[in-house]
Amino acid sequence: SSAGCPLLVGEAVLGLLFVDFCAPHRFTNDELQTILMFASQAAVAIKNARQYEDIKKAYQETEKARRRLDIVAVISQAVRSTLDFDRVLDTLLNELGKVIDAPDRGILLYEEASDELVIHPSSTYCMDSDKKHITRTPVSRGITGWVARERKSSNVPDVTKDPRYLKRISTTRSELAVPIVHGDELIGVINLESPTPAAFDEEDAMLLQAIADQVAIAIQNARRYHELEQAKDALAATEAVAWMGLFGSSWAHGVTQKTSAVRNYLTVLADHIPQDREAQELLTEIEEAVKAIQGIPIVQRLPSEPRMTAALDLDAALRKQAQHWCRSRPAIELDFDLRCGGIRTHIDEGWLDIALEKLINNALKAMPNGGHLEVASIFRGRKAEVTITDSGQGISEKVRPYFLKERIPPEFSGSSGTGIGALIAQYIFRAFGGDLELLWSEPGRGTTLRVTLPATP
């Protein structure tokens, strides 16, 4: 037997309530009234619960929309208030993490010479599935490459089912990427990845595209200001090189005085030591060594503008310098990935040695207890690129805005130094038509610097 009644609130039917017996049963009026009472209470409870969920959902959507508007406003303000492009991107990725649940967020900038996307240091990922540092993605590969080629956004709910996906992070399941375009010019791609399948919706894509438009404006502003900014950034290095020249001149004067005194002593000694052949040969060797010391150029002048000089075997210079400075650090694991065999770089060897000494010693200082240092080179688009990667303490968030831009303030520098050494190296490379830039750094995991120099086969 069975008794049933509708769950009513006013004239709205929310469902049905049934009371069943597995044996014959005649329901009394009291039983039927009890069923009706429970049905009435259940209907009211269901309606209240549904209203609560509707209100909660509306509030969440309103709050989410408000936060989305806030991030667009924050990015817009950053674009208007600063010409520091790196700071804009730092702000962008930090704010994105507040409104879109994407642990892995990246900015990839397009490099026309190599037809590749270069991962900006602000990105929260720079590792592939094998835990190796990566800095580039070919435009011909991956979802981000497709977005760059087609100038269209892509929202992939499950990357394991998308043949375009280029595995970078083993836990990624969904990916959202939008192009950064200014007019007809491709600037780059904003990319979000999540371990949750179908983590991104249409609103996320619209928000990301709106932000990409703001980023395009920021990049254009930064590029217009680039020449003045570059000149400002070089001031500290110029001052340091000037001091090097001053002290170098003083050192050269002192060396000349002392070596001249040694030659005078040799003349006196020649009259007081045995006149046998072996003794005279030793005197001659000492004098030749002193002359060689006097002939060493203590100070060189940097070219006043980028110029081509005598060609230099870059790979040989890199191997020599890295091995020399790591010789006293047996706890350092040194690796080479040198692919510029037969490539000649146009820079004075003396200045290259000075710049490399600054960079390699900075890397060693970041690994006081040992670690891994990799020096790599590759020939790309008429330029030789050198990357120096260490597994050291990395560059802190407080120091990063100053690194390779100006002297690091004492309150932030600590044991990491003033950053003048890296500025000197940058200034030297720029003097020969190249550059030095930070590719990647993460506190406690290491740093990658990239040197570019004009080169020919």
Side-chain angles (χ1 to χ4, degrees), residues 101-103 156-159 171-175 193-200:
D101 186 13
V156 182
D158 188 348
V159 297
T171 56
T172 294
R173 286 297 303 277
S174 56
E175 182 172 356
E193 298 184 25
S194 171
T196 304
F200 310 111

Side-chain angles (χ1 to χ4, degrees), residues 261-340:
V262 171
R263 295 182 69 180
N264 291 333
Y265 295 146
L266 288 174
T267 302
V268 175
L269 278 173
D271 297 331
H272 290 81
I273 64 174
Q275 296 296 315
D276 63 87
R277 179 179 177 183
E278 184 178 359
Q280 294 301 319
E281 286 180 351
L282 285 173
L283 286 177
T284 302
E285 289 179 7
I286 294 173
E287 185 166 4
E288 290 300 321
V290 172
K291 289 180 180 179
I293 292 173
Q294 290 181 330
I296 295 175
I298 303 298
V299 181
Q300 302 180 53
R301 288 188 177 183
L302 278 171
S304 58
E305 59 184 24
R307 72 179 188 189
M308 296 297 178
T309 64
L312 175 72
D313 186 332
L314 179 62
D315 283 357
L318 291 171
R319 188 178 294 275
K320 181 186 73 172
Q321 282 290 317
Q323 290 176 338
H324 172 74
W325 294 109
C326 290
R327 191 172 299 144
S328 62
R329 297 286 304 278
I332 297 295
E333 179 186 354
L334 177 61
D335 282 337
F336 293 100
D337 183 13
L338 303 177
R339 304 184 184 185
C340 281

Side-chain angles (χ1 to χ4, degrees), residues 33-70:
Q33 291 300 319
T34 300
I35 293 171
L36 287 170
M37 180 184 68
F38 274 104
S40 176
Q41 292 177 348
V44 172
I46 291 171
K47 181 182 180 181
N48 289 342
R50 288 180 176 177
Q51 287 180 336
Y52 172 77
E53 289 300 323
D54 289 344
I55 293 172
K56 181 180 177 182
K57 183 178 179 181
Y59 172 78
Q60 289 175 339
E61 290 180 350
T62 301
E63 185 66 14
K64 187 177 181 180
R66 184 189 65 78
R67 292 200 305 270
R68 289 171 181 268
L69 289 174
D70 285 347

Side-chain angles (χ1 to χ4, degrees), residues 422-440:
L423 279 169
I424 291 171
Q426 183 187 56
Y427 184 67
I428 290 171
F429 292 132
R430 286 179 175 176
F432 290 95
D435 206 350
L436 170 66
E437 58 186 319
L438 172 67
L439 278 190
W440 174 86

Side-chain angles (χ1 to χ4, degrees), residues 437-455:
E437 58 186 319
L438 172 67
L439 278 190
W440 174 86
S441 186
E442 186 172 331
R445 295 181 66 178
T447 299
T448 297
L449 297 177
R450 178 173 68 177
V451 176
T452 55
L453 284 167

Side-chain angles (χ1 to χ4, degrees), residues 20-129:
D20 296 337
F21 283 88
C22 296
H25 178 77
R26 183 180 296 279
F27 290 92
T28 66
N29 285 333
D30 286 343
E31 289 174 333
L32 293 174
Q33 291 300 319
T34 300
I35 293 171
L36 287 170
M37 180 184 68
F38 274 104
S40 176
Q41 292 177 348
V44 172
I46 291 171
K47 181 182 180 181
N48 289 342
R50 288 180 176 177
Q51 287 180 336
Y52 172 77
E53 289 300 323
D54 289 344
I55 293 172
K56 181 180 177 182
K57 183 178 179 181
Y59 172 78
Q60 289 175 339
E61 290 180 350
T62 301
E63 185 66 14
K64 187 177 181 180
R66 184 189 65 78
R67 292 200 305 270
R68 289 171 181 268
L69 289 174
D70 285 347
I71 184 176
V72 174
V74 168
I75 298 299
S76 179
Q77 174 63 24
V79 169
R80 293 194 304 268
S81 62
T82 181
L83 290 168
D84 187 338
F85 176 57
D86 292 335
R87 190 169 300 175
V88 171
L89 294 189
D90 285 338
T91 301
L92 160 66
L93 293 177
N94 288 335
E95 293 296 323
L96 267 178
K98 298 177 183 178
V99 294
I100 300 180
D101 186 13
D104 301 302
R105 306 179 295 277
I107 300 286
L108 300 90
L109 300 179
Y110 178 61
E111 184 180 82
E112 185 176 3
S114 62
D115 199 31
E116 291 178 315
L117 295 170
V118 181
I119 299 176
H120 191 269
S122 298
S123 304
T124 61
Y125 62 80
C126 280
M127 306 286 287
D128 66 7
S129 57

Side-chain angles (χ1 to χ4, degrees), residues 189-201:
V189 174
I190 303 179
N191 188 54
L192 305 181
E193 298 184 25
S194 171
T196 304
F200 310 111
D201 56 26

